Amino acid sequence: MIKQSNSQEIAGLVNYLKAVPFDVTRDQLYTASELYEGYDPEKESSYCTCCDQRVFKHFITEGKQATKVEESLARALHDHGMHTALNAFFETHSSHRCIGIMGGHALLRTDKTYRDIVWLSKRLTEGGLYMLSGGGPGAMEATHLGAWMAGRDTTEVEDALDMLSPAPSFRDAGWLSTAFHVVEKYPQHDFDSLGIPTWLYGHEPTAVFATHIAKFFENSIREDSILTLAYGGIIYTPGSAGTVQEVFQDAVQNHYLSFGFSSPMIFMGKQFWTQEMPVYPLLEQLTKTGMYKNLLLTLTDDPDVVVSELKDWNLKHFLAKKG
């Protein structure tokens, strides 16, 4: 027989799990419209009360590192549901065609690199691959915008970029509303992309253009998921500390062949990766000395090289599997 005190504790826990502003039993990926439920693009202030921000405020109030058992359990259950949803996603999407793009969250919409990512992502998506990012602003948003505009012509893409340009930074008023205006004008029904953001960085709005979103509370789990799920390779664009962390975390997975193979690590921006952030020469040196093994490294400024490397690897991998 359950003691009365234990019964009361269980009832209290159940009530807590019901009261949190997120569904602890959810086992489906989010859409942008779900996360931004309650947001009106014509009323910028409504962002503060949308679903995503209600969860973020709760997250901050309860502490980035939860101290209450009930809250820890609620977050763990939610994040478990996200993993379940990701497993379902990959039942219908070939894992080896998933390409990650990493780069700075502060990248402006008006920056050349932003535009380069958009066009590259669009091209890769149209080539049968699908894009993955950390699901936030900057380079991440550019990744999903490119996938969102797949199948459209140059004039339409340039129009979308023009629509976004009045609010270059995610800190600018209108950043979110302009994205929703692009979505409204250019709906997407044929191509998918996957964003994996976190409420740890909940002050950064989630990329509206990601068609599927797995949002996590635990950033360490989220970071590992991004690098693990980009089975088809990762493109590194200029970024700062977070991007560099991802480079070496990915290098470890490839070195140990953690998933049975090594996938491409492509660095876009020769000047940046050899001079400003000289990570590439270090990786080359560590590979030559045998400290790192199995790394498939490419350094380029040419989108054609990126596309060729990824498609060639994908083709060879599938041929090997079939053989």
Side-chain angles (χ1 to χ4, degrees), residues 172-226:
D172 292 333
W175 186 91
L176 191 56
S177 62
T178 52
F180 272 102
H181 289 151
V182 170
V183 165
E184 182 180 11
K185 185 172 183 178
Y186 298 110
Q188 174 60 267
H189 304 293
D190 300 321
F191 297 94
D192 294 335
S193 69
L194 176 62
I196 308 184
T198 172
W199 276 291
L200 181 65
Y201 302 138
H203 61 287
E204 298 178 4
T206 299
V208 174
F209 303 110
T211 60
H212 297 73
I213 302 169
K215 193 153 189 175
F216 285 88
F217 287 103
E218 287 293 334
N219 185 52
S220 58
I221 297 174
R222 170 254 187 178
E223 283 279 2
D224 187 69
S225 296
I226 294 171

Side-chain angles (χ1 to χ4, degrees), residues 14-86:
V14 170
N15 289 333
Y16 187 92
L17 296 178
K18 290 180 178 180
V20 295
F22 52 91
D23 184 0
V24 301
T25 65
R26 185 182 181 95
D27 61 358
Q28 295 181 337
L29 298 177
Y30 291 101
T31 63
S33 60
E34 288 178 310
L35 285 174
Y36 287 112
E37 179 270 323
Y39 170 71
D40 181 353
E42 307 308 318
K43 297 179 181 178
E44 198 71 24
S45 61
S46 63
Y47 171 63
C48 297
T49 57
C50 74
C51 174
D52 188 61
Q53 284 301 289
R54 292 197 301 271
V55 177
F56 177 55
K57 290 174 183 177
H58 172 85
F59 175 72
I60 295 300
T61 299
E62 295 298 325
K64 294 181 178 180
Q65 297 296 324
T67 57
K68 294 192 299 191
V69 172
E70 299 92 334
E71 181 64 19
S72 294
L73 178 60
R75 296 179 186 182
L77 287 171
H78 174 275
D79 285 2
H80 172 74
M82 287 296 99
H83 280 297
T84 300
L86 283 170

Side-chain angles (χ1 to χ4, degrees), residues 250-271:
D250 184 30
V252 169
Q253 290 185 354
N254 287 320
H255 169 80
Y256 287 112
L257 301 177
S258 299
F259 304 98
F261 58 89
S262 177
S263 55
M265 299 177 66
I266 301 178
F267 294 79
M268 278 283 289
K270 290 183 177 180
Q271 173 69 23

Side-chain angles (χ1 to χ4, degrees), residues 119 152-160 186:
W119 286 108
R152 296 192 178 275
D153 61 33
T154 300
T155 301
E156 291 173 311
V157 177
E158 290 295 342
D159 181 50
Y186 298 110

Side-chain angles (χ1 to χ4, degrees), residues 71-108:
E71 181 64 19
S72 294
L73 178 60
R75 296 179 186 182
L77 287 171
H78 174 275
D79 285 2
H80 172 74
M82 287 296 99
H83 280 297
T84 300
L86 283 170
N87 289 337
F89 179 84
F90 283 103
E91 289 178 1
T92 58
H93 296 74
S94 173
S95 59
H96 297 290
R97 292 184 178 273
C98 182
I99 307 297
I101 295 186
M102 308 300 165
H105 68 277
L107 181 66
L108 299 180

Side-chain angles (χ1 to χ4, degrees), residues 112-146:
K112 180 182 181 299
T113 299
Y114 184 98
R115 296 175 62 88
D116 290 344
I117 295 172
V118 169
W119 286 108
L120 178 60
S121 178
K122 178 179 184 293
R123 185 175 173 185
L124 290 170
T125 301
E126 292 169 343
L129 303 173
Y130 59 95
M131 310 310 296
L132 164 69
S133 90
M140 294 172 281
E141 184 195 46
T143 299
H144 296 292
L145 175 59

